[in-house]
Amino acid sequence: KVVDLSIRRKSMAAYQQGIEDLANTNTNFVDEINKISSEVDCSMCRLNQSDSLDVQTLIEQSADEMERSLQEARTGVSTGIQEVDERLGYQMLAIGEVTILGAPSKNGKTLFANTIAARCDLLEGECAHIFSIEMPALGMFNGIVSAISGVPANFYARQSYYSKVMPNKYDEWMARWGKAAHELRESGKITIDGRKDVTMAYICSEMRKQSQLAQNEGRKLRVVFIDHAHRISYDCSKKPMTYVMGDDVRMLKNTAADLGIAVVLLCQLNENSKDRDPTSYDILDTSRIRHEMQAFIGLRLFREGGNTYFGIYGHDPRYADHETKFHPAYMW
């Protein structure tokens, strides 16, 4: 930021001097314009010193990456759900990237995100942060507890009902709920932000804050869940929604890359995708988000015989390889 402000000041001074010199008709205007351009270009070169790399530097960095990848096979974070991992590509929830989880309204986006939050492969000292923009933080927490323990997600809010209607299961569920909650508390791997009226700038700022707080405790913020993109407030006073959403998700991706975080962004899909395989083109209001994501996982909810099933649809994985699967999967 210091360099940025310095370049701005020097460029403004150069342009101002150029205006004064060009106003003097006794000078050669071509020479004056070239002089201004040269001074501004010299300032801009300060930005390129770290961004422009020669081949020798790139070879050295590639060799370092090769050596690291021999010792560490982990290139991303596993969701803990094989059907999803197989459709994300070899980097799974890629670190420094945005993974889109999409479904039409009331098709289980939050339920599925809760399950991933409960099961994702966080290593010792790694943690996750959740922006629960749609659901109350308490409901989000109990959804995660439910994914770990197998008790109903509304168990915490329907004690009277379950104790009377299912007394034979009530004590068992209470014990499992307590065990899962205790595990989450002891691991400290989940924190939840329950604020509702938020902007993408707020989310990115909080990601930096939570990353620093985790670092102060000797931990690493590794995964962020955002539920969901269409609940975020967007400023459409100067641009249409599709452009604003695209710009904001680009800001999110850049923040994730800076901090080394894998982001799972939930998105609502058009209702006409309910009766066919959903793709990233079905994201409501915009297709520009597609350009910022590393992979798209579409969901469809099926209920049968009291059970809940999901159709899992992979689309546009950036890190696809020969093991990546592109046909739908169905899971309980």
Side-chain angles (χ1 to χ4, degrees):
K1 289 186 177 181
V2 171
V3 173
D4 176 76
L5 291 172
S6 174
I7 291 172
R8 287 174 184 269
R9 285 195 302 269
K10 290 187 175 181
S11 298
M12 288 167 62
Y15 285 131
Q16 187 62 46
Q17 184 62 47
I19 291 172
E20 294 177 6
D21 292 342
L22 285 169
N24 182 359
T25 56
N26 295 323
T27 60
N28 185 306
F29 74 92
V30 175
D31 291 342
E32 295 300 336
I33 291 173
N34 286 335
K35 184 173 72 172
I36 299 166
S37 300
S38 177
E39 291 180 11
V40 174
D41 288 345
C42 285
S43 295
M44 291 302 294
C45 284
R46 296 175 65 188
L47 289 178
N48 296 329
Q49 289 176 357
S50 60
D51 295 336
S52 298
L53 307 175
D54 59 27
V55 172
Q56 179 59 35
T57 303
L58 291 167
I59 290 173
E60 292 172 359
Q61 292 185 3
S62 297
D64 291 341
E65 286 295 322
M66 290 176 185
E67 187 174 348
R68 272 195 293 270
S69 66
L70 278 173
Q71 301 167 359
E72 174 59 71
R74 189 176 189 242
T75 55
V77 180
S78 169
T79 63
I81 303 172
Q82 182 180 351
E83 292 88 345
V84 178
D85 286 349
E86 289 173 344
R87 284 154 184 82
L88 287 174
Y90 66 91
Q91 291 205 29
M92 296 173 286
L93 297 179
I95 295 169
E97 299 271 8
V98 176
T99 304
I100 300 294
L101 192 66
S105 182
K106 306 298 185 291
N107 263 250
K109 294 186 298 293
T110 304
L111 170 62
F112 210 89
N114 287 340
T115 306
I116 294 175
R119 299 185 184 183
C120 63
D121 183 26
L122 294 176
L123 303 181
E124 186 70 28
E126 293 182 339
C127 57
H129 187 67
I130 300 170
F131 291 93
S132 185
I133 305 170
E134 181 176 41
M135 180 179 286
L138 195 59
M140 179 67 76
F141 169 72
N142 278 277
I144 297 170
V145 172
S146 172
I148 296 173
S149 64
V151 305
N154 61 5
F155 180 71
Y156 76 104
R158 303 191 70 189
Q159 291 291 291
S160 175
Y161 170 80
Y162 286 117
S163 63
K164 292 177 182 177
V165 177
M166 301 180 179
N168 56 327
K169 290 188 176 182
Y170 180 78
D171 290 340
E172 177 194 349
W173 283 354
M174 180 61 77
R176 283 158 58 182
W177 187 97
K179 181 181 178 183
H182 176 76
E183 288 176 359
L184 281 173
R185 182 184 66 191
E186 293 303 305
S187 68
K189 74 173 188 175
I190 298 287
T191 51
I192 300 176
D193 183 328
R195 185 170 174 177
K196 303 307 174 195
D197 186 15
V198 303
T199 63
M200 190 64 80
Y202 169 82
I203 289 173
C204 292
S205 174
E206 280 298 303
M207 284 171 60
R208 294 186 184 278
K209 173 183 169 184
Q210 292 299 324
S211 178
Q212 187 59 55
L213 289 173
Q215 186 177 327
N216 293 345
E217 297 174 358
R219 300 163 67 83
K220 172 65 181 175
L221 179 60
R222 182 57 79 191
V223 184
V224 163
F225 297 86
I226 303 173
D227 181 23
H228 56 79
H230 292 84
R231 289 287 185 178
I232 297 172
S233 297
Y234 298 99
D235 180 6
C236 299
S237 60
K238 298 179 181 178
K239 295 181 182 179
M241 174 68 84
T242 182
Y243 292 100
V244 174
M245 289 185 72
D247 292 346
D248 277 12
V249 175
R250 184 183 304 117
M251 181 201 311
L252 176 65
K253 178 182 176 180
N254 291 341
T255 303
D258 286 345
L259 301 175
I261 293 172
V263 174
V264 180
L265 177 62
L266 279 61
C267 287
Q268 190 162 322
L269 304 185
N270 294 313
E271 292 300 310
N272 59 13
S273 66
K274 278 186 174 181
D275 300 322
R276 55 176 171 78
D277 294 0
T279 71
S280 58
Y281 291 100
D282 294 315
I283 297 174
L284 189 65
D285 293 328
T286 181
S287 62
R288 287 176 62 86
I289 289 179
R290 294 183 60 252
H291 304 298
E292 311 303 332
M293 70 181 191
Q294 69 97 12
F296 172 87
I297 296 295
L299 305 173
R300 283 177 65 191
L301 190 66
F302 303 92
R303 298 190 189 276
E304 183 180 338
N307 291 324
T308 299
Y309 302 87
F310 277 102
I312 313 295
Y313 308 85
H315 189 231
D316 279 353
R318 180 171 294 156
Y319 301 107
D321 62 3
H322 63 285
E323 295 181 327
T324 305
K325 296 184 178 179
F326 294 91
H327 60 273
Y330 299 91
M331 57 176 287
W332 175 65

